[in-house]
Every structure is written in structure tokens, then in C-alpha cells.
Amino acid sequence: MTDMHFRAAIPDDANEIADFMTRNFLAAYGHSSSPENIQKAVQDYYGVEAQRADLANAAIINCLCMIENKIAGLAQVKPPKPDSDPHHFELSRFYVDAAYHGKGIAPVLMQETLNIMRARDARSLWLSVWQGSQQAIRFYQKQGFVISGETIFMIGDEPMNDWLMTKEL
Ligand SMILES: CC(C)(COP(=O)(O)OP(=O)(O)OC[C@H]1O[C@@H](n2cnc3c(N)ncnc32)[C@H](O)[C@@H]1OP(=O)(O)O)[C@@H](O)C(=O)NCCC(=O)NCCS
């Protein structure tokens, strides 16, 4: 993919990120709950206002994978909570456009993300992933993440069972 590059997201990307996240969340998880819950999740997490808020927060890292000047992948990392290990970061979002699944973009985006995190003195990453998402779980396992616990992720009013996964850097 000769025209692929990575860059940090900027506030002007809010609309395109909202479109990318909504489209790909619906493709991957649109079937996982009721239409009302899915619509609420899109509004809460992936609408333009939510993206603007994330992009205005300098502590949140948003790394974009661009192909032909369009967003092909997005990795988001959130800093540790004030009272927790300062080297343990959250991989809060990791999406590759459905058109590029299975084409080797995801491992390259992960490598880029890990390089950014190492430069910030991260020593480990954690994430939560829906227990029904075999594709994502399989991908994270191949990338060296291991299941370390369970948590709940709200899709609208429905509590979803997620795995917690962790990777040492
Ligand atoms: C998670 C994600 C980044 C992985 O990227 P990818 O390009 O699909 O990664 P891979 O091609 O390595 O596929 C991962 C594994 O899932 C398998 N897989 C593909 N489609 C699948 C499906 N429908 N069901 C189950 N497994 C599937 C692949 O065969 C591969 O396993 P293998 O290497 O043992 O064959 C990508 O699927 C994605 O963006 N998904 C939607 C967003 C998401 O779920 N993000 C994680 C949220 S926590």
C-alpha cells in the first residue's frame, strides 16, 4: 500500500472520524443489541460531538492510518487514571475500515501505535473487547494481548460482557 501514511488526528478530522466510526461500528456491532441501543451507542460514542470532545483533549492520542487521503484505520489511546499505574495506558479504540480487513493494515497500525506508546514511556496497554467479537479477540491475541479479566461495556441500556486484555510492551 504505497500511499499509506500515519498522522495524529486534528480537530478538523471530527466529521470524518464520526463517519468512519459510525460506519464501522455498525458493520461490526450493529447486530449485537436492539436498534435503539445501537443508535444510542452511536450517539454517545461515535457522533460528531463525541469526536470533537475527544480531539479537544490533548491527553488522548488519536493515530490515523490514511490511505488515498481517507481514514483507513484509527487507534485511540487514553492516559492512565490519576490514581493508577502511570505506565499502564488504555487502547480505547482500534478500528480498521471493513474494506481493509484481512489485508495486513491492522498489524501495521498496531505497530505504529505501540511505537507511539513506547515513546511516551508506556510499559503496558489494556483494552476491553466484546466477548462475541471473535475476529477482534483473535487479532489481539496474535498481537500478544492476553485475557486478564472481564468488564461491562454499555451499549445504550444493555450491559455487554467484555474481556479485559493486556499486553506488556
Ligand atoms: C479488529 C480488527 C482491527 C482486526 O483487523 P483484521 O484486518 O480483521 O485482522 P486479521 O486479518 O488479522 O483478522 C483477525 C482474525 O480474525 C479472523 N476473522 C476474520 N473474520 C472473522 C469473522 N467474521 N469471525 C471470526 N473470525 C474472523 C481472521 O481469520 C483472523 O484470524 P486468523 O489469523 O487466525 O485467521 C478489525 O477486524 C476491525 O477493525 N474490526 C472492527 C472494529 C473492532 O472490532 N475493533 C476492536 C474493538 S475492541
Side-chain angles (χ1 to χ4, degrees):
M1 224 52 80
T2 51
D3 57 353
M4 181 170 79
H5 70 277
F6 296 93
R7 68 169 174 82
I10 57 170
D12 278 356
D13 292 316
N15 281 316
E16 193 185 346
I17 292 176
D19 180 62
F20 170 88
M21 285 306 304
T22 299
R23 183 162 35 88
N24 284 294
F25 170 75
L26 291 176
Y29 299 108
H31 62 286
S32 64
S33 189
S34 69
E36 294 74 22
N37 283 331
I38 294 293
Q39 192 183 358
K40 186 154 189 309
V42 166
Q43 188 184 322
D44 289 350
Y45 305 132
Y46 308 124
V48 179
E49 289 310 318
Q51 309 322 306
R52 285 204 185 108
D54 280 1
L55 292 167
N57 184 342
I60 299 178
I61 295 161
N62 286 286
C63 174
L64 300 181
C65 173
M66 306 295 297
I67 296 177
E68 291 172 358
N69 284 325
K70 293 202 177 72
I71 299 173
L74 182 156
Q76 183 185 74
V77 181
K78 290 186 170 168
K81 302 264 183 310
D83 55 348
S84 67
D85 177 349
H87 303 287
H88 190 44
F89 287 69
E90 178 187 3
L91 181 60
S92 45
R93 206 171 269 183
F94 193 89
Y95 270 65
V96 166
D97 193 280
Y100 295 110
H101 288 183
K103 293 191 160 62
I105 303 288
V108 184
L109 177 59
M110 181 63 79
Q111 211 46 59
E112 182 74 15
T113 308
L114 297 180
N115 288 342
I116 292 168
M117 297 324 298
R118 287 190 186 100
R120 297 202 178 209
D121 208 16
R123 294 185 197 154
S124 55
L125 279 181
W126 68 272
L127 60 82
S128 75
V129 56
W130 183 40
Q131 293 181 8
S133 183
Q134 290 308 314
Q135 187 171 356
I137 293 165
R138 177 81 195 119
F139 170 75
Y140 290 134
Q141 284 173 329
K142 287 192 296 180
Q143 293 296 318
F145 285 80
V146 293
I147 291 174
S148 53
E150 289 186 73
T151 189
I152 295 292
F153 182 81
M154 295 303 293
I155 296 280
D157 297 331
E158 184 173 359
M160 310 294 282
N161 294 318
D162 275 25
W163 294 123
L164 285 171
M165 299 186 79
T166 311
K167 177 181 169 71
E168 303 297 321
L169 300 189

